[in-house]
Amino acid sequence: MPSIDVCFSPELLPLYNLTGKIAVAVDVLRATSSMVTALANGITHIAPVSELETCLAYREQNYLVAAERDGVKAEGFDLGNSPFHYLEEDRTGRMLAITTTNGTQAIRLSRAADEVLVGAFLNVGAVADYLRRAGKDVVVVCAGWKGLFNLEDTLFAGALAERLEGDFTLNHDATLAAYHLYQTAKADKLAFLSKSSHVQRLERLHILKDIEFCLQEDTYTVVPVLQGDFLVAAQ
Amino acid sequence: MPSIDVCFSPELLPLYNLTGKIAVAVDVLRATSSMVTALANGITHIAPVSELETCLAYREQNYLVAAERDGVKAEGFDLGNSPFHYLEEDRTGRMLAITTTNGTQAIRLSRAADEVLVGAFLNVGAVADYLRRAGKDVVVVCAGWKGLFNLEDTLFAGALAERLEGDFTLNHDATLAAYHLYQTAKADKLAFLSKSSHVQRLERLHILKDIEFCLQEDTYTVVPVLQGDFLVAAQ
């Protein structure tokens, strides 16, 4: 039976062997939630990039450019890191380049895996279905916050573990922790997270509406998968 | 109000600022449980060292020498990593040098803090009392397993957070995770841990008796504190 493991911080990823496995990169608040929303609403492909300058340069190729640093939209970009930016107007057929504090780094570091998917609560069921069909070992790569453990990405890992229970082994310590935390939190994830100083900081940025949106499960069925340098919807 | 934070792996410790804080190093299974037991049973001071050779050299100074690698006693040493080794015969007045896979490293890396304590379930209440009197910010430094997150050290962090609730803020994400996991586990920590492949590996080494001993709370009131290169009982 394949296993699901969880890496709580990109800083710990060198300790994981990703060969032969599928990595699921997650930054629930808000990078991967925005990416899932973008692909579900007409964006054809996404270039996740590390540097602001690299991202901005994509505009010359007619990309929408999106950037977040420390929770807010970076100067000079079309879009920030809110999923609502991809719902406000029709983006059908557009391409997107995006850089965020933590999320794009998690995707980049996951490239050693056989495949890299992007997960969020918004598409957790679809990601679980994809993984079940693939039948390979899975490592959830949590973006964390500047290298530190965070609760919301951990809860996503726990939700994914719950969906895979019975078909995957859950006996890695990090997976068990995520699974149990999700059991405690799932009846009201927002209330559970509201004691976190990290989430309180996001709330002070007036993105409570974003947080509520990002905590919804199974809104979309799209599974973003990395092909070369681009995230596209898995067929 | 001072805060309690938790570092789940020594690999993440460079992200924490320990200046002005008290570090509590923990390796519940079994290094710090054995150290607490040793100081509670007559050992006068403990040299936690990284290398097997350095540890063995202490024998010339009439130290007991203890070493564990990958869960078993290393060849040529007096003692391994079981707390029962410090209960079997009278060790009163003896000095101890010890090296373990994860625990001694956590202590060494914690030295940037104002003070370094050693914690275990066996002395969790005494550690909490010490921290409450000191009134400084606290970082629990989990030894983990070869750099990876582990459940048992996390549960200790959660138990300590519970003891400090009301006098310390618990709103770091890692602290909240540890606190909630301890709430889930505390009625039967052994049953909670028994699904862990890491703990199952320890059980295969026939140390179930050790594990049960190490999960007991408040057996001892000694608080090991690092003074120079040695752990001694706090006065």
PDB file of all heavy atoms in Angstrom, chain A residues 132-160:
ATOM      1  N   ARG A 132      -5.088   8.539  -5.740  1.00  0.00           N
ATOM      2  CA  ARG A 132      -5.561   7.152  -5.623  1.00  0.00           C
ATOM      3  C   ARG A 132      -5.383   6.419  -6.945  1.00  0.00           C
ATOM      4  O   ARG A 132      -4.956   5.260  -6.972  1.00  0.00           O
ATOM      5  CB  ARG A 132      -7.029   7.150  -5.165  1.00  0.00           C
ATOM      6  CG  ARG A 132      -7.410   5.920  -4.372  1.00  0.00           C
ATOM      7  CD  ARG A 132      -8.837   5.949  -3.861  1.00  0.00           C
ATOM      8  NE  ARG A 132      -9.018   6.816  -2.711  1.00  0.00           N
ATOM      9  CZ  ARG A 132      -9.604   7.997  -2.731  1.00  0.00           C
ATOM     10  NH1 ARG A 132     -10.125   8.471  -3.860  1.00  0.00           N
ATOM     11  NH2 ARG A 132      -9.732   8.707  -1.635  1.00  0.00           N
ATOM     12  N   ARG A 133      -5.675   7.109  -8.032  1.00  0.00           N
ATOM     13  CA  ARG A 133      -5.478   6.500  -9.355  1.00  0.00           C
ATOM     14  C   ARG A 133      -3.998   6.244  -9.633  1.00  0.00           C
ATOM     15  O   ARG A 133      -3.631   5.216 -10.192  1.00  0.00           O
ATOM     16  CB  ARG A 133      -6.064   7.403 -10.456  1.00  0.00           C
ATOM     17  CG  ARG A 133      -7.584   7.340 -10.583  1.00  0.00           C
ATOM     18  CD  ARG A 133      -8.052   7.961 -11.897  1.00  0.00           C
ATOM     19  NE  ARG A 133      -7.633   9.353 -12.050  1.00  0.00           N
ATOM     20  CZ  ARG A 133      -8.290  10.401 -11.595  1.00  0.00           C
ATOM     21  NH1 ARG A 133      -9.434  10.233 -10.951  1.00  0.00           N
ATOM     22  NH2 ARG A 133      -7.840  11.626 -11.784  1.00  0.00           N
ATOM     23  N   ALA A 134      -3.132   7.187  -9.224  1.00  0.00           N
ATOM     24  CA  ALA A 134      -1.694   7.057  -9.506  1.00  0.00           C
ATOM     25  C   ALA A 134      -1.064   5.936  -8.674  1.00  0.00           C
ATOM     26  O   ALA A 134      -0.183   5.211  -9.146  1.00  0.00           O
ATOM     27  CB  ALA A 134      -0.991   8.373  -9.238  1.00  0.00           C
ATOM     28  N   GLY A 135      -1.503   5.811  -7.407  1.00  0.00           N
ATOM     29  CA  GLY A 135      -1.028   4.711  -6.565  1.00  0.00           C
ATOM     30  C   GLY A 135       0.423   4.802  -6.121  1.00  0.00           C
ATOM     31  O   GLY A 135       1.001   3.818  -5.655  1.00  0.00           O
ATOM     32  N   LYS A 136       1.026   5.977  -6.250  1.00  0.00           N
ATOM     33  CA  LYS A 136       2.415   6.146  -5.798  1.00  0.00           C
ATOM     34  C   LYS A 136       2.456   6.729  -4.394  1.00  0.00           C
ATOM     35  O   LYS A 136       1.482   7.336  -3.925  1.00  0.00           O
ATOM     36  CB  LYS A 136       3.144   7.121  -6.742  1.00  0.00           C
ATOM     37  CG  LYS A 136       3.392   6.588  -8.130  1.00  0.00           C
ATOM     38  CD  LYS A 136       4.212   7.594  -8.932  1.00  0.00           C
ATOM     39  CE  LYS A 136       4.489   7.070 -10.340  1.00  0.00           C
ATOM     40  NZ  LYS A 136       5.280   8.030 -11.124  1.00  0.00           N
ATOM     41  N   ASP A 137       3.628   6.600  -3.738  1.00  0.00           N
ATOM     42  CA  ASP A 137       3.833   7.283  -2.464  1.00  0.00           C
ATOM     43  C   ASP A 137       3.691   8.795  -2.658  1.00  0.00           C
ATOM     44  O   ASP A 137       4.058   9.339  -3.707  1.00  0.00           O
ATOM     45  CB  ASP A 137       5.230   6.995  -1.909  1.00  0.00           C
ATOM     46  CG  ASP A 137       5.360   5.584  -1.380  1.00  0.00           C
ATOM     47  OD1 ASP A 137       4.323   4.907  -1.175  1.00  0.00           O
ATOM     48  OD2 ASP A 137       6.501   5.144  -1.156  1.00  0.00           O
ATOM     49  N   VAL A 138       3.177   9.453  -1.611  1.00  0.00           N
ATOM     50  CA  VAL A 138       2.874  10.886  -1.674  1.00  0.00           C
ATOM     51  C   VAL A 138       3.620  11.616  -0.560  1.00  0.00           C
ATOM     52  O   VAL A 138       3.720  11.104   0.556  1.00  0.00           O
ATOM     53  CB  VAL A 138       1.350  11.114  -1.500  1.00  0.00           C
ATOM     54  CG1 VAL A 138       1.019  12.594  -1.365  1.00  0.00           C
ATOM     55  CG2 VAL A 138       0.578  10.477  -2.654  1.00  0.00           C
ATOM     56  N   VAL A 139       4.165  12.790  -0.886  1.00  0.00           N
ATOM     57  CA  VAL A 139       4.675  13.698   0.143  1.00  0.00           C
ATOM     58  C   VAL A 139       3.961  15.038  -0.015  1.00  0.00           C
ATOM     59  O   VAL A 139       4.023  15.649  -1.090  1.00  0.00           O
ATOM     60  CB  VAL A 139       6.200  13.913   0.041  1.00  0.00           C
ATOM     61  CG1 VAL A 139       6.672  14.904   1.104  1.00  0.00           C
ATOM     62  CG2 VAL A 139       6.952  12.595   0.181  1.00  0.00           C
ATOM     63  N   VAL A 140       3.252  15.452   1.036  1.00  0.00           N
ATOM     64  CA  VAL A 140       2.646  16.786   1.035  1.00  0.00           C
ATOM     65  C   VAL A 140       3.721  17.779   1.471  1.00  0.00           C
ATOM     66  O   VAL A 140       4.309  17.629   2.550  1.00  0.00           O
ATOM     67  CB  VAL A 140       1.446  16.855   1.993  1.00  0.00           C
ATOM     68  CG1 VAL A 140       0.822  18.253   1.963  1.00  0.00           C
ATOM     69  CG2 VAL A 140       0.412  15.794   1.628  1.00  0.00           C
ATOM     70  N   VAL A 141       4.005  18.751   0.623  1.00  0.00           N
ATOM     71  CA  VAL A 141       5.033  19.751   0.921  1.00  0.00           C
ATOM     72  C   VAL A 141       4.348  21.041   1.356  1.00  0.00           C
ATOM     73  O   VAL A 141       3.809  21.788   0.537  1.00  0.00           O
ATOM     74  CB  VAL A 141       5.946  19.992  -0.297  1.00  0.00           C
ATOM     75  CG1 VAL A 141       7.016  21.030   0.031  1.00  0.00           C
ATOM     76  CG2 VAL A 141       6.585  18.677  -0.757  1.00  0.00           C
ATOM     77  N   CYS A 142       4.333  21.266   2.676  1.00  0.00           N
ATOM     78  CA  CYS A 142       3.694  22.459   3.226  1.00  0.00           C
ATOM     79  C   CYS A 142       4.605  23.667   3.025  1.00  0.00           C
ATOM     80  O   CYS A 142       5.806  23.607   3.331  1.00  0.00           O
ATOM     81  CB  CYS A 142       3.428  22.276   4.717  1.00  0.00           C
ATOM     82  SG  CYS A 142       2.301  20.925   5.102  1.00  0.00           S
ATOM     83  N   ALA A 143       4.042  24.746   2.536  1.00  0.00           N
ATOM     84  CA  ALA A 143       4.836  25.961   2.312  1.00  0.00           C
ATOM     85  C   ALA A 143       5.258  26.584   3.639  1.00  0.00           C
ATOM     86  O   ALA A 143       6.330  27.164   3.758  1.00  0.00           O
ATOM     87  CB  ALA A 143       4.033  26.964   1.496  1.00  0.00           C
ATOM     88  N   GLY A 144       4.416  26.426   4.658  1.00  0.00           N
ATOM     89  CA  GLY A 144       4.736  27.050   5.945  1.00  0.00           C
ATOM     90  C   GLY A 144       4.783  28.555   5.839  1.00  0.00           C
ATOM     91  O   GLY A 144       4.262  29.151   4.872  1.00  0.00           O
ATOM     92  N   TRP A 145       5.369  29.208   6.837  1.00  0.00           N
ATOM     93  CA  TRP A 145       5.516  30.663   6.808  1.00  0.00           C
ATOM     94  C   TRP A 145       6.979  31.003   7.046  1.00  0.00           C
ATOM     95  O   TRP A 145       7.475  30.855   8.150  1.00  0.00           O
ATOM     96  CB  TRP A 145       4.623  31.329   7.863  1.00  0.00           C
ATOM     97  CG  TRP A 145       4.805  32.816   7.843  1.00  0.00           C
ATOM     98  CD1 TRP A 145       5.477  33.579   8.743  1.00  0.00           C
ATOM     99  CD2 TRP A 145       4.347  33.728   6.831  1.00  0.00           C
ATOM    100  NE1 TRP A 145       5.475  34.888   8.361  1.00  0.00           N
ATOM    101  CE2 TRP A 145       4.787  35.022   7.189  1.00  0.00           C
ATOM    102  CE3 TRP A 145       3.606  33.581   5.636  1.00  0.00           C
ATOM    103  CZ2 TRP A 145       4.517  36.158   6.419  1.00  0.00           C
ATOM    104  CZ3 TRP A 145       3.333  34.712   4.882  1.00  0.00           C
ATOM    105  CH2 TRP A 145       3.770  35.972   5.272  1.00  0.00           C
ATOM    106  N   LYS A 146       7.663  31.368   5.966  1.00  0.00           N
ATOM    107  CA  LYS A 146       9.088  31.698   6.052  1.00  0.00           C
ATOM    108  C   LYS A 146       9.888  30.578   6.732  1.00  0.00           C
ATOM    109  O   LYS A 146      10.726  30.830   7.590  1.00  0.00           O
ATOM    110  CB  LYS A 146       9.271  33.045   6.753  1.00  0.00           C
ATOM    111  CG  LYS A 146       8.636  34.189   5.955  1.00  0.00           C
ATOM    112  CD  LYS A 146       8.922  35.562   6.511  1.00  0.00           C
ATOM    113  CE  LYS A 146       8.321  36.622   5.576  1.00  0.00           C
ATOM    114  NZ  LYS A 146       8.590  37.992   6.005  1.00  0.00           N
ATOM    115  N   GLY A 147       9.568  29.374   6.346  1.00  0.00           N
ATOM    116  CA  GLY A 147      10.299  28.218   6.854  1.00  0.00           C
ATOM    117  C   GLY A 147       9.700  27.579   8.090  1.00  0.00           C
ATOM    118  O   GLY A 147      10.047  26.457   8.439  1.00  0.00           O
ATOM    119  N   LEU A 148       8.780  28.289   8.756  1.00  0.00           N
ATOM    120  CA  LEU A 148       8.193  27.759   9.990  1.00  0.00           C
ATOM    121  C   LEU A 148       6.934  26.940   9.702  1.00  0.00           C
ATOM    122  O   LEU A 148       6.220  27.193   8.732  1.00  0.00           O
ATOM    123  CB  LEU A 148       7.832  28.909  10.931  1.00  0.00           C
ATOM    124  CG  LEU A 148       8.997  29.729  11.469  1.00  0.00           C
ATOM    125  CD1 LEU A 148       8.477  30.946  12.237  1.00  0.00           C
ATOM    126  CD2 LEU A 148       9.886  28.877  12.366  1.00  0.00           C
ATOM    127  N   PHE A 149       6.689  25.983  10.570  1.00  0.00           N
ATOM    128  CA  PHE A 149       5.442  25.210  10.587  1.00  0.00           C
ATOM    129  C   PHE A 149       4.242  26.153  10.580  1.00  0.00           C
ATOM    130  O   PHE A 149       4.241  27.154  11.287  1.00  0.00           O
ATOM    131  CB  PHE A 149       5.437  24.402  11.898  1.00  0.00           C
ATOM    132  CG  PHE A 149       4.158  23.682  12.191  1.00  0.00           C
ATOM    133  CD1 PHE A 149       3.969  22.379  11.765  1.00  0.00           C
ATOM    134  CD2 PHE A 149       3.152  24.301  12.925  1.00  0.00           C
ATOM    135  CE1 PHE A 149       2.793  21.710  12.052  1.00  0.00           C
ATOM    136  CE2 PHE A 149       1.972  23.628  13.218  1.00  0.00           C
ATOM    137  CZ  PHE A 149       1.798  22.328  12.777  1.00  0.00           C
ATOM    138  N   ASN A 150       3.216  25.847   9.784  1.00  0.00           N
ATOM    139  CA  ASN A 150       1.953  26.556  10.001  1.00  0.00           C
ATOM    140  C   ASN A 150       0.769  25.590  10.066  1.00  0.00           C
ATOM    141  O   ASN A 150       0.836  24.463   9.574  1.00  0.00           O
ATOM    142  CB  ASN A 150       1.753  27.716   9.021  1.00  0.00           C
ATOM    143  CG  ASN A 150       1.229  27.294   7.678  1.00  0.00           C
ATOM    144  OD1 ASN A 150       0.569  26.280   7.515  1.00  0.00           O
ATOM    145  ND2 ASN A 150       1.539  28.100   6.677  1.00  0.00           N
ATOM    146  N   LEU A 151      -0.279  26.064  10.717  1.00  0.00           N
ATOM    147  CA  LEU A 151      -1.424  25.191  10.989  1.00  0.00           C
ATOM    148  C   LEU A 151      -2.264  24.922   9.745  1.00  0.00           C
ATOM    149  O   LEU A 151      -2.734  23.811   9.546  1.00  0.00           O
ATOM    150  CB  LEU A 151      -2.330  25.809  12.065  1.00  0.00           C
ATOM    151  CG  LEU A 151      -1.955  25.551  13.514  1.00  0.00           C
ATOM    152  CD1 LEU A 151      -2.881  26.340  14.445  1.00  0.00           C
ATOM    153  CD2 LEU A 151      -2.023  24.061  13.864  1.00  0.00           C
ATOM    154  N   GLU A 152      -2.480  25.948   8.919  1.00  0.00           N
ATOM    155  CA  GLU A 152      -3.462  25.772   7.843  1.00  0.00           C
ATOM    156  C   GLU A 152      -2.981  24.772   6.791  1.00  0.00           C
ATOM    157  O   GLU A 152      -3.772  23.980   6.281  1.00  0.00           O
ATOM    158  CB  GLU A 152      -3.850  27.119   7.219  1.00  0.00           C
ATOM    159  CG  GLU A 152      -2.756  27.849   6.479  1.00  0.00           C
ATOM    160  CD  GLU A 152      -1.953  28.798   7.366  1.00  0.00           C
ATOM    161  OE1 GLU A 152      -2.009  28.661   8.594  1.00  0.00           O
ATOM    162  OE2 GLU A 152      -1.255  29.677   6.808  1.00  0.00           O
ATOM    163  N   ASP A 153      -1.686  24.784   6.470  1.00  0.00           N
ATOM    164  CA  ASP A 153      -1.186  23.797   5.505  1.00  0.00           C
ATOM    165  C   ASP A 153      -1.199  22.397   6.117  1.00  0.00           C
ATOM    166  O   ASP A 153      -1.420  21.399   5.422  1.00  0.00           O
ATOM    167  CB  ASP A 153       0.235  24.169   5.051  1.00  0.00           C
ATOM    168  CG  ASP A 153       0.263  25.485   4.275  1.00  0.00           C
ATOM    169  OD1 ASP A 153      -0.796  25.893   3.753  1.00  0.00           O
ATOM    170  OD2 ASP A 153       1.332  26.110   4.211  1.00  0.00           O
ATOM    171  N   THR A 154      -0.961  22.338   7.419  1.00  0.00           N
ATOM    172  CA  THR A 154      -1.022  21.065   8.138  1.00  0.00           C
ATOM    173  C   THR A 154      -2.436  20.495   8.106  1.00  0.00           C
ATOM    174  O   THR A 154      -2.629  19.284   7.901  1.00  0.00           O
ATOM    175  CB  THR A 154      -0.562  21.275   9.590  1.00  0.00           C
ATOM    176  OG1 THR A 154       0.757  21.837   9.579  1.00  0.00           O
ATOM    177  CG2 THR A 154      -0.559  19.969  10.368  1.00  0.00           C
ATOM    178  N   LEU A 155      -3.426  21.370   8.300  1.00  0.00           N
ATOM    179  CA  LEU A 155      -4.819  20.894   8.233  1.00  0.00           C
ATOM    180  C   LEU A 155      -5.150  20.356   6.839  1.00  0.00           C
ATOM    181  O   LEU A 155      -5.860  19.360   6.704  1.00  0.00           O
ATOM    182  CB  LEU A 155      -5.795  22.013   8.610  1.00  0.00           C
ATOM    183  CG  LEU A 155      -5.778  22.482  10.057  1.00  0.00           C
ATOM    184  CD1 LEU A 155      -6.895  23.513  10.279  1.00  0.00           C
ATOM    185  CD2 LEU A 155      -5.936  21.321  11.037  1.00  0.00           C
ATOM    186  N   PHE A 156      -4.620  21.012   5.802  1.00  0.00           N
ATOM    187  CA  PHE A 156      -4.834  20.473   4.454  1.00  0.00           C
ATOM    188  C   PHE A 156      -4.251  19.066   4.348  1.00  0.00           C
ATOM    189  O   PHE A 156      -4.889  18.149   3.818  1.00  0.00           O
ATOM    190  CB  PHE A 156      -4.213  21.370   3.371  1.00  0.00           C
ATOM    191  CG  PHE A 156      -4.150  20.676   2.047  1.00  0.00           C
ATOM    192  CD1 PHE A 156      -5.258  20.613   1.217  1.00  0.00           C
ATOM    193  CD2 PHE A 156      -2.987  20.017   1.642  1.00  0.00           C
ATOM    194  CE1 PHE A 156      -5.219  19.922   0.010  1.00  0.00           C
ATOM    195  CE2 PHE A 156      -2.931  19.325   0.441  1.00  0.00           C
ATOM    196  CZ  PHE A 156      -4.053  19.272  -0.374  1.00  0.00           C
ATOM    197  N   ALA A 157      -3.038  18.900   4.850  1.00  0.00           N
ATOM    198  CA  ALA A 157      -2.406  17.564   4.802  1.00  0.00           C
ATOM    199  C   ALA A 157      -3.267  16.546   5.539  1.00  0.00           C
ATOM    200  O   ALA A 157      -3.414  15.400   5.096  1.00  0.00           O
ATOM    201  CB  ALA A 157      -1.005  17.631   5.401  1.00  0.00           C
ATOM    202  N   GLY A 158      -3.844  16.969   6.673  1.00  0.00           N
ATOM    203  CA  GLY A 158      -4.718  16.085   7.440  1.00  0.00           C
ATOM    204  C   GLY A 158      -5.985  15.742   6.684  1.00  0.00           C
ATOM    205  O   GLY A 158      -6.453  14.595   6.713  1.00  0.00           O
ATOM    206  N   ALA A 159      -6.549  16.724   5.994  1.00  0.00           N
ATOM    207  CA  ALA A 159      -7.762  16.477   5.197  1.00  0.00           C
ATOM    208  C   ALA A 159      -7.454  15.498   4.068  1.00  0.00           C
ATOM    209  O   ALA A 159      -8.230  14.576   3.803  1.00  0.00           O
ATOM    210  CB  ALA A 159      -8.288  17.800   4.628  1.00  0.00           C
ATOM    211  N   LEU A 160      -6.307  15.688   3.432  1.00  0.00           N
ATOM    212  CA  LEU A 160      -5.930  14.788   2.338  1.00  0.00           C
ATOM    213  C   LEU A 160      -5.689  13.374   2.868  1.00  0.00           C
ATOM    214  O   LEU A 160      -6.115  12.389   2.259  1.00  0.00           O
ATOM    215  CB  LEU A 160      -4.681  15.327   1.625  1.00  0.00           C
ATOM    216  CG  LEU A 160      -4.242  14.570   0.379  1.00  0.00           C
ATOM    217  CD1 LEU A 160      -5.329  14.604  -0.699  1.00  0.00           C
ATOM    218  CD2 LEU A 160      -2.931  15.148  -0.161  1.00  0.00           C
TER     219      LEU A 160
END
